[in-house]
Amino acid sequence: MITSQARAVSTPHVDVRIQSPLWHAQPLAEKTVRNAVLTAADALSTAGGEVSIVLADDSAIRSLNRDWRGIDKPTNVLSFPASAPNNGQGLGQGLGQGLRLLGDIVIAFETLERECVDERRIFLHHLAHLTVHGFLHLLGYDHETDEQAEEMEGLESRILGRLNMPDPYRAHDLGNA
């Protein structure tokens, strides 16, 4: 049995930075992303580490997307793993005291909001989904092949279920924007 003290040591540290004032319209955004990472880490038995989440706008994420991926347009979420991924095994650079830097996740407000309207999704549910998606990328998961996508989507659905949120891949679970 894991004691609460041992559990606290193994829980990832989540640093959330609100870079764009647009996020102030969603006062539960910080809590949502923090809970999404902690729930994903628990579901995957990911021990410790540090994750940085930046709640940005389309302009900031477009610059990052252009500079790091060569795609000059905004996207909903970008993940920057701290080290070479290998599907959740031994990731991250040491920070001392047993911590490891897992990486950074950046989420764009306007793109997320636009997707919610277009796809009739609930903002905080979609935010949690994008956070989980980004976190899985930090752990080395990807969706380049059908098999990888199926595995990643299955994990996302399972983790969102733990958050009592609908499966983002089931049409009947879509909410109202």
Side-chain angles (χ1 to χ4, degrees), residues 27 44 68 127-128 131 146 157 159 169:
L44 299 169
W68 291 94
L127 175 60
T131 304
D146 289 343
S157 297
I159 293 163
Y169 299 104

Side-chain angles (χ1 to χ4, degrees), residues 17-175:
R17 180 171 159 234
I18 299 175
Q19 185 181 55
S20 170
L22 294 171
W23 287 95
H24 296 303
Q26 292 289 336
L28 295 176
E30 184 174 347
K31 180 179 179 181
T32 299
V33 296
R34 190 177 308 281
N35 287 342
V37 168
L38 295 176
T39 301
D42 184 59
L44 299 169
S45 300
T46 303
E50 182 171 349
V51 177
S52 174
I53 300 175
V54 178
L55 300 177
D57 57 24
D58 274 7
S59 176
I61 210 163
R62 178 181 183 172
S63 294
L64 290 168
N65 206 21
R66 180 191 61 234
D67 295 349
W68 291 94
R69 298 179 66 224
I71 301 171
D72 192 13
K73 66 179 187 176
T75 189
N76 53 15
V77 62
L78 289 173
S79 296
F80 298 95
S83 64
N86 61 0
N87 287 338
Q89 306 298 317
L91 285 177
Q93 298 177 5
L95 297 174
Q97 300 176 353
L99 288 179
R100 58 196 169 118
L101 178 61
L102 297 174
D104 305 314
I105 301 168
V106 184
I107 302 173
F109 184 89
E110 298 100 322
T111 298
L112 187 153
E113 186 175 57
R114 193 168 41 254
E115 289 173 350
C116 288
V117 170
D118 293 348
E119 300 166 16
R120 298 184 58 219
R121 296 188 183 272
I122 296 170
F123 188 91
L124 294 176
H125 291 181
H126 194 39
L127 175 60
H129 178 212
L130 293 179
T131 304
V132 168
H133 184 87
F135 184 70
L136 290 174
H137 277 305
L138 295 185
L139 297 181
Y141 293 93
D142 212 334
H143 44 82
E144 294 294 320
T145 67
D146 289 343
E147 183 177 273
Q148 289 174 335
E150 188 174 310
E151 178 183 21
M152 196 165 172
E153 289 171 8
L155 288 170
E156 291 169 7
S157 297
R158 191 174 98 223
I159 293 163
L160 289 170
R162 284 181 167 216
L163 287 163
N164 295 317
M165 293 187 182
D167 183 338
Y169 299 104
R170 294 186 58 153
H172 76 277
D173 284 336
L174 296 179

